[in-house]
Amino acid sequence: MVTGLAFALTIALASSAHAEEVDVAAWVNNLPTQFLVQGSKVEPTYVAAVEIRRDGDVVSILGGAPAWMERSRETIAVDSQGDMRHLVCPPGMSCDGAARPAGFLSTAALLSAARRGTLSGVARAEAYGARRVLCLPAETLGVDKPILDPCFDLASGAAIAQKNRFSGKFDGPSLDPVTLRVLPDTNKENAP
């Protein structure tokens, strides 16, 4: 048992020694301007299909309902100064408030912070299934009193997971890593 523990500790130290540190502002400024993410999010009584898309300055999510119900869409545009506005608001939801986008729409808040020049520092890339993610403190994106921090796909910038800051584990609205597909968005017909 001691040998197994020593081996596991050696592997953990070796992988953390090779952890990739990323300059956050430079990373955001070099992200692709289009992506399409498809995956599933497990709810207590059903599995929801989720689609997240970025097309230039517009970030949208389609999902949040079981297969037998109509899925809703929320779409946010980010201008060159970092101001955000809703283009599409889901039925029954108020999108007029000052709340910053969170969860799967955190990419809009990330673009906003970058364009306002408020992102700085480095973050360590870590594994999320077969993908690499950067988990950033939600406060840097304007979220008050967060429990979960958004985790962004390193290649695309899509917000695909959340990390609980108390447990250090992936938690909350996160796409199942097994069903997760991140693609460059080439289907303009379905863009919001």
Side-chain angles (χ1 to χ4, degrees):
M1 182 166 144
V2 173
T3 304
L5 182 59
F7 178 72
L9 184 56
T10 301
I11 296 296
L13 290 174
S15 62
S16 66
H18 294 97
E20 179 182 2
E21 286 196 346
V22 177
D23 177 303
V24 176
W27 168 71
V28 174
N29 290 328
N30 289 306
L31 286 171
T33 59
Q34 295 180 319
F35 64 70
L36 172 63
V37 172
Q38 297 170 329
S40 297
K41 180 177 75 134
V42 178
E43 294 290 343
T45 59
Y46 64 92
V47 175
V50 175
E51 181 179 290
I52 309 164
R53 181 185 303 267
R54 177 181 177 192
D55 185 20
D57 297 334
V58 177
V59 179
S60 69
I61 181 172
L62 175 65
W68 62 89
M69 293 179 65
E70 182 178 350
R71 299 189 306 162
S72 62
R73 180 180 304 274
E74 186 174 358
T75 304
I76 297 174
V78 184
D79 71 17
S80 60
Q81 274 69 55
D83 292 331
M84 294 182 285
R85 68 182 171 89
H86 271 86
L87 300 178
V88 177
C89 186
M93 185 174 148
S94 173
C95 295
D96 297 332
R100 303 290 285 178
F104 297 125
L105 283 173
S106 292
T107 300
L110 181 72
L111 294 175
S112 173
R115 292 175 182 179
R116 290 175 185 268
T118 60
L119 290 179
S120 63
V122 297
R124 289 183 184 233
E126 59 185 286
Y128 182 69
R131 312 280 315 169
R132 305 277 295 151
V133 295
L134 287 183
C135 298
L136 302 178
E139 292 92 348
T140 63
L141 304 180
V143 177
D144 291 329
K145 302 177 185 172
I147 295 172
L148 301 172
D149 293 319
C151 298
F152 301 92
D153 177 58
L154 190 59
S156 67
I160 60 174
Q162 305 287 315
K163 196 167 194 182
N164 186 306
R165 58 176 47 184
F166 301 111
S167 71
K169 295 180 180 185
F170 292 107
D171 197 359
S174 298
L175 295 178
D176 173 39
V178 174
T179 64
L180 181 62
R181 293 181 36 205
V182 180
L183 311 163
D185 184 8
T186 56
N187 187 359
K188 295 293 182 192
E189 290 178 14
N190 292 328

